[in-house]
Amino acid sequence: MFHPRRTLQVLLIPLAAGLALTALPAQTASAASTLTNGGFESDGTGTATPAGWSTYSAAGQNSASFTEAGGHSGSYRLTHWSSSAYKVETYQYLSGLTNGNYKLTAWVRSGGGQNSAYIALKNCGGAEQRTDLPVSASGWIRIVVPVSVTGNQCTVSINSDANAGNWLNVDDLTFASGTGGTSIHGADISSLAKSEAKGGLYRTSSGATGDAVTILKNTGMNYARLKVWVNPADGYNNKTRVLALAKRVKAAGMKLLVDFHYSDTWADPGAQSKPAAWSGHSYSRLRTDVYDHTYDVLNALKAQGTTADMVQVGNEINGGMLWSEGSTDNWAQLAGLLNSGYDAVKAVSSSTTVALHLAKGGDLSGTRWWFDNAVASGVKFDAIGLSYYGYWHGTLHDFQTTLDDAASRYGKPVFVAETAYPFRLDSEDSHENIIDTPAELVSGYPATVAGQTRWMNDVASIVEAVPNGRGLGVFYWEATWTAVAGSGWDPADASSGNGWENQALFGYDDKALPSTAWFSHR
């Protein structure tokens, strides 16, 4: 491929660092130490080569790249679109850069459907860095691309390999010092012990039977999330089982998030039932119950050398926990229960992060309402976890808006405590899948392995773009919950099925899916 770097090489030698090239041939990009016309306001209407930028298409399809009205902040934007299939690149070459870490920020939209649509930083002296454009047909989404510049130069590249009618918009690009990436590439594997006990098998992508923890570790997973029930009917997800699985997690070199449900069964926005052993207890006694149970589990983990790195005090506590005493109808009491949990965590390990977890990933007003009340009530916490399922919790734009606001409004790091996506719609067992029709899917993300992979990478990219480095990362929910007889959803019913096997990270042949590649997201 033609690249202006070659044309410019002879011109760069006499230039002092930071000095811009001025009189270059028209076919080359202007080279400068800062990005030119990142908002496409110069040459804003209908040009394929707006000031500062160049366009390349091997098939002579430069016209598929053009500026037009409708910017993110200003009047204009860059668009890629054509009525026939096209491949086009819009790029800008930067020279005279001081070597170091940089971050490109861009606001993007896309109708989806492309073979690829991404922004890249390349020829910077190290590995090329790319970020795909999430599918968002209406709301603008901010993405970032970090890079290490070691050759005093870098090329900003906007790429489309698209089918007829596919489109993207890009605007308000900035290139400045900074770093990127996320620290948590995790998964909830709470179902694993029961699945294995009932005969579940896990295979590498090549078909070799192995330990699911090791298989996932080898694909890039670095953090495991384990739920804890108090006295579940089936004897799984209790203290004893969590201790055993925690040993495997830590032996694999992963970090550990312990998710306290404070129940004998599922705790979520629709159910926060007290454990049977705590029924009839006064509010004061419940505060002691929360402290003692939390301390007991975490201290046992610490004693065996597997101290929890993060703890959730409650699971999806939109309406509070330990109903009715800990309902959001009584914030003073809910605050007391949450702070009992916080204090117990810190008594075991002061360095363990305490997170509060809501299922409101795309609900800006609901998240504000909850945490405003929590802060006003003196609730103590270190991080905010949100469940975000795109088929339930709003658009990716809604998600970014909520996540960014939570991070800035409360000054806390944020992460996705749960997300997932189907790789197919049909069921492997007789239990109906929770997501099983095309109408339930997120537009632009098909129920395929590629769609599942894209979903996870795009969610991770949005977390990475949270300002001030406050986006910690993502946990995939129930990566190992495959269809295994006896390992159903109801701990009190051995015949209950699994409505989630089409959203696991292992296929119906038990092999790790190629979508596990998301664990290697930057």
Side-chain angles (χ1 to χ4, degrees):
M1 180 189 292
F2 162 78
H3 202 281
R5 177 183 177 186
R6 301 187 187 104
T7 309
L8 294 170
Q9 205 68 48
V10 294
L11 298 171
L12 295 178
I13 297 166
L15 288 176
L19 194 64
L21 290 174
T22 50
L24 286 177
Q27 72 270 22
T28 64
S30 70
S33 60
T34 57
L35 195 66
T36 301
N37 193 23
F40 303 100
E41 297 302 299
S42 301
D43 298 331
T45 308
T47 176
T49 53
W53 295 88
S54 294
T55 307
Y56 175 79
S57 173
Q61 299 168 306
N62 284 18
S63 62
S65 170
F66 53 92
T67 52
E68 62 179 347
H72 166 254
S73 63
S75 299
Y76 300 98
R77 68 192 183 208
L78 177 75
T79 293
H80 285 182
W81 176 87
S82 178
S83 59
S84 56
Y86 64 95
K87 292 183 182 181
V88 70
E89 176 187 15
T90 310
Y91 62 90
Q92 184 168 153
Y93 173 76
L94 305 176
S95 70
L97 297 172
T98 301
N99 287 338
N101 294 318
Y102 291 84
K103 183 162 64 177
L104 180 80
T105 303
W107 288 89
V108 302
R109 298 191 301 191
S110 171
Q114 298 95 336
N115 299 313
S116 62
Y118 62 90
I119 297 180
L121 295 175
K122 60 186 184 179
N123 304 323
C124 308
E128 176 178 330
Q129 297 294 317
R130 294 184 179 183
T131 303
D132 291 332
L133 271 64
V135 179
S136 179
S138 53
W140 290 89
I141 291 175
R142 185 185 60 259
I143 60 173
V144 298
V145 191
V147 74
S148 177
V149 173
T150 60
N152 301 112
Q153 60 188 16
C154 198
T155 298
V156 179
S157 173
I158 304 163
N159 275 267
S160 291
D161 177 355
N163 303 298
N166 294 162
W167 61 271
L168 62 77
N169 301 146
V170 176
D171 201 7
D172 292 341
L173 293 98
T174 58
F175 184 81
S177 295
T179 57
T182 50
S183 59
I184 296 174
H185 306 144
D188 192 305
I189 55 171
S190 298
S191 61
L192 180 59
K194 187 174 182 180
S195 175
E196 290 172 333
K198 301 296 181 182
L201 294 177
Y202 298 88
R203 303 181 190 278
T204 65
S205 57
S206 59
T209 304
D211 172 27
V213 175
T214 304
I215 292 169
L216 291 171
K217 165 69 176 180
N218 289 340
T219 66
M221 178 175 157
N222 67 3
Y223 221 125
R225 179 179 186 256
L226 302 177
K227 70 170 175 274
V228 188
W229 289 336
V230 177
N231 188 23
D234 61 2
Y236 288 89
N237 302 117
N238 61 9
K239 172 186 167 183
T240 302
R241 303 286 186 177
V242 167
L243 286 168
L245 195 46
K247 284 185 177 180
R248 295 167 59 186
V249 166
K250 291 283 189 169
M254 295 191 204
K255 290 187 174 182
L256 174 65
L257 166 58
V258 178
D259 172 19
F260 284 93
H261 283 230
Y262 301 113
S263 181
D264 292 334
T265 187
W266 301 96
D268 57 42
Q272 295 283 340
S273 304
K274 287 193 284 284
W278 304 359
S279 65
H281 286 191
S282 66
Y283 166 68
S284 177
R285 178 70 185 277
L286 287 171
R287 286 189 64 175
T288 303
D289 291 333
V290 168
Y291 186 97
D292 290 349
H293 170 62
T294 305
Y295 185 93
D296 179 53
V297 173
L298 297 178
N299 196 51
L301 284 164
K302 180 181 179 180
Q304 69 170 15
T306 60
T307 301
D309 298 282
M310 189 187 299
V311 169
Q312 281 179 220
V313 176
N315 185 76
E316 295 190 332
I317 50 176
N318 298 11
M321 65 184 199
L322 293 169
W323 289 344
S324 59
E325 287 80 358
S327 162
T328 49
D329 291 338
N330 189 330
W331 269 100
Q333 290 194 174
L334 175 56
L337 294 168
L338 293 172
N339 284 340
S340 281
Y342 180 95
D343 291 343
V345 176
K346 297 298 185 177
V348 173
S349 168
S350 61
S351 62
T352 297
T353 300
V354 178
L356 298 179
H357 171 212
L358 304 184
K360 288 182 175 287
D363 182 358
L364 175 64
S365 62
T367 300
R368 277 187 175 181
W369 175 85
W370 201 97
F371 277 100
D372 281 359
N373 275 289
V375 170
S377 302
V379 176
K380 296 178 284 191
F381 62 100
D382 305 321
I384 294 171
L386 296 176
S387 292
Y388 175 62
Y389 296 99
Y391 36 72
W392 293 328
H393 295 146
T395 67
L396 286 168
H397 172 76
D398 295 334
F399 166 54
Q400 180 167 73
T401 302
T402 304
L403 200 66
D404 288 356
D405 184 78
S408 62
R409 189 176 181 91
Y410 308 108
K412 302 290 186 182
V414 295
F415 64 97
V416 176
E418 297 181 18
T419 190
Y421 206 76
F423 62 90
R424 58 195 292 172
L425 291 174
D426 61 314
S427 182
E428 190 182 2
D429 63 11
S430 59
H431 191 78
E432 181 181 1
N433 287 340
I434 290 172
I435 301 298
D436 64 352
T437 67
E440 293 172 303
L441 299 173
V442 179
S443 178
Y445 297 88
T448 61
V449 171
Q452 184 185 50
T453 307
R454 177 137 196 212
W455 176 260
M456 290 307 300
N457 278 322
D458 290 351
V459 168
S461 292
I462 289 172
V463 177
E464 182 185 19
V466 174
N468 301 309
R470 289 196 175 116
L472 296 179
V474 181
F475 288 93
Y476 194 92
W477 194 69
E478 282 291 11
T480 56
W481 200 9
T482 53
V484 176
S487 183
W489 69 271
D490 186 353
D493 179 4
S495 66
S496 65
N498 176 5
W500 206 263
E501 75 271 14
N502 66 323
Q503 299 192 64
L505 293 181
F506 290 84
Y508 290 5
D509 58 2
D510 300 324
K511 292 181 184 177
L513 293 167
S515 43
T516 53
W518 91 264
F519 285 121
S520 297
H521 190 278
R522 189 172 45 237

